Amino acid sequence: MGITDPTRPGGRPNPLAKLEVERTPWLQQAEASDVVVSSRVRLARNLAGFRFVNRAEHDDRTAVLELLRDRLDRAELTPGVPAQWLDIHTLDRLDRDLLVERHLISPQHARGMNSGSARTDPRAVVVSLPDEGVSVMVNEEDHLRLQSLRPGLALERALTDVDSVDDGIEQSVDYAYSARFGYLTACPTNVGTGIRFSVMLHLPALRMLGEVEKVKRAAGDMSLAVRGFWGEGSEAEGDFYQLSNQTTLGRTERVMLDGLQRTIVPRVIDFERRARERLLSQRRLLLEDTVYRSLGILQQARRMTTGEAMQRLSELRLGGTLGLIRTPLLETVSQLLMLIHPAHLQRVTGRSLAQDERRAERASILRARLADVSVAP
Amino acid sequence: MKCDRCGREATIEEVTKVGQTYVYKHLCESCAAGEGLSTSGSQPTTTTLVTVKARAAAQTLACPNCGLSFAGFRETGRLGCPACYDAFEDRLGPMIERAQEGGTHHVGKTPKRLLASVEGAGPERRRAIERVLGESKQRLEKLEQLGRQLQSALAGERFEQAAIIRDEMRRLREGTCEPEATPETGAGEGGETRHGDH
Ligand SMILES: [Zn+2]
Ligand SMILES: [Zn+2]
């Protein structure tokens, strides 16, 4: 891959050349994506006979990395697509950030275990590109973190994908496993199935009507966690909320999946859709003012923070689902949710940008991409 | 540790479960005898006696494989290696049960190669594998079935039925060879290991 760009010192080749910066697969339109942005399933696994990552010496972590490189480099995480192995410790800061924004690695994986160890901790991610449907983090908190991330409501598909990759890996390695505790993980909160299901929900109408708390309470009653766009420790940004299971022991993967997709998820979808209808029929002026005000700002602003852009795009997305705006499609608005983030912005413009420049560039990209949007007649 | 009643060196700790919290009392042998408590014989089920010596031993507990102490685990919330689960099982069990909202045993996926190797294995190897696999297969099937019933009860808002199914699932999870969990002496010290997604 001889592709170079000016943000890379010395014009080095781009290890992420196959990643389509402009298009995030999990932000495409899919089933129920008016409310459910994406579905994710992840499995935590460790190798038998090795210490967990946090207690392993550098050499042991390198041994695990090399063993898994041997098994996973070019493995077909998606049938017919050889996956790409990326050594995180050799990537530029910007590429690491790009992978975090993309939800392909965790912020912790980008940073490394200790401060200052970002360029030394031996760790990797294996990604099937360009579809990005399945990825595997190596030497994060556990030796292996398998993930499937799909657009819309697709937990079933994500589980099937991640399950078969898990079977594939298990052909050639021994997992740490016990009869009582199941798959053994560094943190006992993940022990058992090692599974986490999450759905990313877009709940702008419930937020406008002050009813998000009800969703949080219902989720709490079912022992589910509600987190923001960036997962752990993040606040809801732009009305995006992630709903996920907190327990991993004592219930099968299937029972957990059913619990999410037969009860709470359809209820929240229904709840949000009704709230949108209520806004249309009873609070139309508030709704139109919110959507069109955001449209005006997105089309005219000269500087914008990430947080504001997320909020404005969220409101535009709401307008899009309710037919208040004409073209572009919801898809364009959804894709912008990723492009406005710092690493993406710098990759798209091909320049490294200071914070102030990013705000100007962000506003400029939004103006350009949303120039054709008009108010529905 | 001093005796709560006379100030001499305490050798016995009484742990009483009151609601969701544990109440501790420290006594020397003679005061304990005076209260009708002893480390032998049967006690009311809500009270457990722990000798202070045994507790101290638990605090210096370490994994023979990676050397992580139990106290070290409590600090970081991270175990050091797969063998830590065996080394700390007695103390970890109740902690995990709380963090996992009652979950005590794994049900669900089992490594396929492990399962496959049961077939065609010699009797000794087979026993070894089954020790690792446990009885999870049968429990799994029954729990799967109950889980489906529970979800449909919840979806139909038949909460009484759901409660009955839940109890049955709990019995099934606990109705194995597990000894009764001893109270986690650090209960309520903020030793919970939950800290969200990683
Ligand atoms: Zn005394
Ligand atoms: Zn250990």
Side-chain angles (χ1 to χ4, degrees):
Chain A
M1 284 167 275
I3 303 160
T4 61
D5 74 53
T7 58
R8 288 170 201 285
R12 286 196 287 118
N14 179 0
L16 300 183
K18 279 201 213 154
L19 187 133
E20 290 176 41
V21 177
E22 293 262 348
R23 192 189 61 98
T24 306
W26 56 267
L27 285 172
Q28 290 175 300
Q29 290 305 108
E31 164 134 25
S33 58
D34 57 328
V35 180
V36 184
V37 177
S38 61
S39 304
R40 183 177 93 114
V41 178
R42 79 108 165 95
L43 299 177
R45 299 287 187 257
N46 286 282
L47 303 184
F50 290 90
R51 289 184 180 192
F52 295 143
V53 180
N54 70 84
R55 202 161 171 80
E57 300 297 332
H58 187 275
D59 287 353
D60 297 329
R61 282 180 275 143
T62 303
V64 168
L65 189 80
E66 294 313 321
L67 188 148
L68 291 171
R69 185 196 307 275
D70 182 55
R71 309 290 197 275
L72 289 179
D73 191 14
R74 308 197 58 76
E76 293 187 3
L77 302 183
T78 301
V81 187
Q84 194 173 342
W85 176 286
L86 297 162
D87 284 301
I88 304 296
H89 49 290
T90 66
L91 294 181
D92 297 352
R93 166 92 198 264
L94 201 55
D95 283 336
R96 296 199 305 265
D97 289 349
L98 195 74
L99 294 172
V100 173
E101 289 177 2
R102 211 68 168 191
H103 290 204
L104 289 172
I105 66 173
S106 61
Q108 179 192 330
H109 205 45
R111 278 194 307 270
M113 289 204 310
N114 309 301
S115 65
S117 65
R119 301 302 298 253
T120 51
D121 280 340
R123 63 203 194 284
V125 66
V126 199
V127 194
S128 84
L129 288 173
D131 78 291
E132 297 174 45
V134 181
S135 57
V136 182
M137 283 192 285
V138 176
N139 278 349
E140 203 242 25
E141 181 180 295
D142 295 299
H143 294 141
L144 291 155
R145 286 286 178 101
L146 290 66
Q147 156 177 297
S148 177
L149 180 54
R150 298 285 176 190
L153 183 56
L155 287 171
E156 198 79 54
R157 161 105 197 260
L159 177 60
T160 308
D161 289 346
V162 89
D163 196 40
S164 60
V165 170
D166 183 42
D167 289 346
I169 296 174
E170 200 246 320
Q171 297 276 320
S172 62
V173 299
D174 282 325
Y175 282 151
Y177 181 87
S178 89
R180 176 170 179 190
F181 292 123
Y183 292 93
L184 303 177
T185 52
C187 181
T189 53
N190 295 315
V191 82
T193 54
I195 204 164
R196 178 152 286 142
F197 295 97
S198 344
V199 283
M200 173 109 69
L201 302 163
H202 185 215
L203 307 177
L206 288 173
R207 196 261 309 152
M208 285 172 70
L209 293 170
E211 292 183 341
V212 171
E213 280 310 311
K214 285 188 194 167
V215 173
K216 289 188 179 172
R217 270 201 302 276
D221 288 346
M222 296 192 64
S223 307
L224 300 171
V226 183
R227 303 190 172 93
F229 193 78
W230 300 108
E232 181 186 17
S234 69
E235 289 297 310
E237 204 174 45
D239 310 318
F240 295 98
Y241 301 84
Q242 286 193 61
L243 201 66
S244 53
N245 63 294
Q246 303 205 78
T247 59
T248 49
L249 184 71
R251 289 188 304 155
T252 66
E253 294 86 350
R254 174 55 50 185
V255 166
M256 283 190 238
L257 174 62
D258 286 351
L260 276 168
Q261 75 182 3
R262 289 206 194 151
T263 57
I264 183 117
V265 173
R267 279 188 206 172
V268 177
I269 294 173
D270 188 53
F271 198 31
E272 168 66 21
R273 283 179 181 160
R274 281 183 209 211
R276 291 180 190 182
E277 278 162 28
R278 238 184 320 150
L279 284 174
L280 266 179
S281 60
Q282 295 164 23
R283 312 284 298 275
R284 180 131 193 153
L285 202 60
L286 169 72
L287 174 68
E288 288 186 348
D289 183 65
T290 303
V291 172
Y292 297 149
R293 182 182 295 270
S294 278
L295 176 59
I297 290 170
L298 287 164
Q299 288 180 325
Q300 299 299 335
R302 269 21 187 196
R303 297 174 78 241
M304 204 179 292
T305 62
T306 311
E308 182 181 2
M310 288 288 279
Q311 193 55 46
R312 302 291 172 201
L313 286 170
S314 163
E315 284 157 4
L316 196 62
R317 194 176 190 275
L318 172 66
T321 64
L322 294 177
L324 295 185
I325 53 168
R326 232 188 340 203
T327 59
L329 299 170
L330 218 47
E331 169 99 30
T332 310
V333 178
S334 297
Q335 289 293 344
L336 282 170
L337 291 169
M338 185 57 67
L339 286 188
I340 55 159
H341 284 92
H344 274 78
L345 212 53
Q346 295 176 73
R347 279 287 170 253
V348 168
T349 56
R351 290 186 297 129
S352 77
L353 304 166
Q355 188 184 66
D356 230 39
E357 298 173 299
R358 288 205 298 271
R359 290 182 180 172
E361 197 57 49
R362 183 175 295 121
S364 153
I365 282 186
L366 287 166
R367 284 201 310 278
R369 309 244 170 156
L370 297 171
D372 293 340
V373 182
S374 58
V375 169
Chain B
M1 204 147 332
K2 300 278 177 254
C3 171
D4 296 339
R5 291 186 50 182
C6 72
R8 271 182 289 178
E9 194 61 21
T11 55
I12 286 173
E13 180 178 70
E14 182 196 7
V15 187
T16 312
K17 193 172 181 191
V18 180
Q20 288 305 303
T21 60
Y22 295 96
V23 175
Y24 298 91
K25 206 189 259 182
H26 299 100
L27 298 167
C28 70
E29 291 282 3
S30 62
C31 291
E35 288 212 353
L37 297 172
S38 86
T39 48
S40 58
S42 64
Q43 294 292 331
T45 51
T46 50
T47 300
T48 310
L49 296 175
V50 182
T51 65
V52 172
K53 224 185 256 172
R55 193 178 175 206
Q59 260 154 7
T60 57
L61 191 65
C63 170
N65 183 53
C66 73
L68 179 71
S69 68
F70 191 75
F73 158 66
R74 292 292 290 265
E75 251 166 59
T76 63
R78 300 286 188 284
L79 292 160
C81 75
C84 286
Y85 279 94
D86 287 332
F88 303 147
E89 183 168 7
D90 290 346
R91 308 203 66 206
L92 209 48
M95 282 177 80
I96 289 178
E97 185 178 347
R98 274 201 310 280
Q100 295 284 351
E101 313 209 327
T104 55
H105 283 78
H106 174 59
V107 287
K109 193 169 182 177
T110 301
K112 285 210 166 46
R113 228 152 41 102
L114 204 58
L115 267 184
S117 56
V118 181
E119 330 284 324
E124 210 150 293
R125 169 85 182 131
R126 198 188 184 98
R127 266 196 300 280
I129 296 166
E130 274 167 359
R131 254 203 314 281
V132 178
L133 286 178
E135 307 157 67
S136 57
K137 289 309 285 177
Q138 298 93 311
R139 273 208 315 276
L140 177 145
E141 279 159 26
K142 179 70 182 160
L143 278 164
E144 288 262 10
Q145 189 192 350
L146 286 170
R148 277 192 295 273
Q149 289 171 12
L150 176 63
Q151 293 310 331
S152 97
L154 285 173
E157 306 197 339
R158 297 187 299 277
F159 297 115
E160 260 175 64
Q161 192 189 336
I164 293 166
I165 296 170
R166 228 182 241 133
D167 284 346
E168 194 178 339
M169 291 175 78
R170 193 168 301 135
R171 267 198 302 279
L172 199 58
R173 285 196 198 103
E174 289 165 2
T176 49
C177 50
E178 273 323 294
E180 232 209 305
T182 50
E184 162 52 36
T185 50
E189 286 170 5
E192 300 293 346
T193 49
R194 162 158 317 143
H195 41 70
D197 194 3
H198 317 300

